[in-house]
C-alpha cells in the first residue's frame, strides 16, 4: 500500500488533472462557441469582446492570442455556421439518394421546420449581411460565397432532375428561400409566408418538370 503523499500518489493525481484538462474544450473552441451563441441571439454589433470572453470563461489576452480582432471571430462564426448548415442538408437529402427533385422538396421542408423551432433567430448569414451592409467587413465574402454555394446546390439538383431552364428556376427557388429566411423575423409565426413555401416551390417544379410521380 502506498503511503499518503508519496511520489506514486502525486503522479496519479497529476495524471488525473492532465486528463481532466485534456477533456476540456480548447480556449479557441470555447471562444468560437460563445461568440456564435451571442452573435446569433443578440446580433454582431450588439456583442462586445467583454461579453464573449466572459461567456467563454477566459480573458481578452487569450482571445487576441487566437484571433487578431473581433472581425476575425465573426468570420469564423459564419464559417462554422455554414459548415453546420450544409452538414444538416446532406443528412436531409441523403434520404433521397437518386431523386434530386425529392431532395429539393425535403430541403425546403427542412428549412420551414427549422423556422418553427423556439430557438430560431433567423438565418445567421442573412442577419449578418443586414448588420454589415455598407461596410468592407471580411465576413461579407463568407456570406457571398455561401450563397453561391447554395445556388449551386439548388441548380445542380434541378439540372439532374431534367429542368429545361435550370438557371431561371434556380432564381425562382432562391427568391422563395431568401424570402423565407428574411421574413421569419418580420412576421408572427402563424402568418409567416414560408408556411406555404413548399407548396409554392412544388408548383414551380411542376411547371418546369411536370407533375411529380406518385409515391
Amino acid at each position: 500500500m502506498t503511503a499518503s503523499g508519496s511520489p506514486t500518489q502525486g503522479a496519479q493525481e497529476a495524471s488525473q488533472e492532465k486528463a481532466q484538462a485534456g477533456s476540456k474544450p480548447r480556449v479557441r473552441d470555447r471562444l468560437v462557441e460563445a461568440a456564435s451563441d451571442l452573435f446569433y441571439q443578440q446580433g454582431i454589433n450588439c456583442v462586445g469582446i467583454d461579453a464573449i470572453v466572459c461567456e467563454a470563461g477566459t480573458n481578452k489576452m487569450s482571445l487576441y492570442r487566437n484571433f487578431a480582432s473581433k472581425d476575425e471571430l465573426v468570420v469564423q462564426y459564419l464559417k462554422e455556421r455554414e459548415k453546420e448548415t450544409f452538414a444538416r442538408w446532406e443528412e436531409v437529402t441523403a434520404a433521397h439518394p437518386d431523386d434530386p427533385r425529392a431532395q429539393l422538396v425535403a430541403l425546403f421542408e427542412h428549412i420551414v421546420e427549422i423556422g418553427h423551432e423556439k430557438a430560431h433567430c433567423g438565418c445567421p448569414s442573412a442577419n449578418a449581411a443586414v448588420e454589415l451592409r455598407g461596410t468592407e467587413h471580411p465576413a461579407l465574402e463568407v456570406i457571398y460565397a455561401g450563397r453561391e454555394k447554395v445556388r449551386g446546390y439548388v441548380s445542380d439538383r434541378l439540372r439532374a432532375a431534367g429542368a429545361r431552364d435550370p438557371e431561371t428556376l434556380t432564381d425562382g427557388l432562391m427568391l422563395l428561400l431568401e424570402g423565407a429566411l428574411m421574413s421569419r423575423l418580420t412576421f408572427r409565426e402563424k402568418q409567416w409566408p414560408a408556411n406555404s413555401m413548399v407548396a409554392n416551390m412544388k408548383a414551380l417544379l411542376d411547371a418546369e418538370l411536370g407533375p411529380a410521380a406518385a409515391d
Side-chain angles (χ1 to χ4, degrees), residues 80-154:
E80 291 293 332
R81 287 284 178 156
E82 180 183 301
K83 182 179 178 181
E84 293 169 3
T85 294
F86 279 104
R88 288 197 299 269
W89 285 16
E90 291 297 339
E91 291 177 2
V92 169
T93 57
H96 311 278
D98 301 313
D99 192 339
R101 180 174 183 155
Q103 289 181 343
L104 286 173
V105 172
L107 178 59
F108 275 57
E109 289 175 339
H110 169 69
I111 291 168
V112 175
E113 182 180 347
I114 288 179
H116 286 290
E117 293 179 352
K118 290 184 178 180
H120 189 71
C121 297
C123 171
S125 57
N127 293 349
V130 172
E131 288 197 83
L132 304 177
R133 68 192 183 282
T135 72
E136 296 182 357
H137 198 289
L140 288 171
E141 288 303 318
V142 178
I143 296 169
Y144 298 148
R147 282 303 192 268
E148 289 172 8
K149 185 174 180 179
V150 172
R151 181 184 175 83
Y153 199 93
V154 172

Side-chain angles (χ1 to χ4, degrees), residues 21-41:
S23 65
K24 186 177 182 179
R26 295 185 308 162
V27 171
R28 180 183 176 87
D29 295 335
R30 299 206 315 271
L31 285 165
V32 172
E33 182 178 358
S36 180
D37 289 342
L38 291 170
F39 288 155
Y40 184 60
Q41 294 166 6

Side-chain angles (χ1 to χ4, degrees), residues 9-87:
Q9 183 177 8
Q12 290 175 340
E13 291 174 349
S15 178
Q16 290 174 352
E17 290 176 358
K18 185 176 180 180
Q20 291 173 353
S23 65
K24 186 177 182 179
R26 295 185 308 162
V27 171
R28 180 183 176 87
D29 295 335
R30 299 206 315 271
L31 285 165
V32 172
E33 182 178 358
S36 180
D37 289 342
L38 291 170
F39 288 155
Y40 184 60
Q41 294 166 6
Q42 300 179 26
I44 292 170
N45 293 334
C46 293
V47 175
I49 294 298
D50 288 338
I52 294 170
V53 297
C54 180
E55 182 72 16
T58 184
N59 52 55
K60 290 183 180 180
M61 184 179 295
S62 293
L63 186 148
Y64 289 117
R65 274 202 298 263
N66 287 276
F67 299 96
S69 64
K70 178 185 172 182
D71 287 353
E72 189 174 305
L73 189 52
V74 172
V75 167
Q76 188 61 36
Y77 151 63
L78 291 173
K79 285 182 176 179
E80 291 293 332
R81 287 284 178 156
E82 180 183 301
K83 182 179 178 181
E84 293 169 3
T85 294
F86 279 104

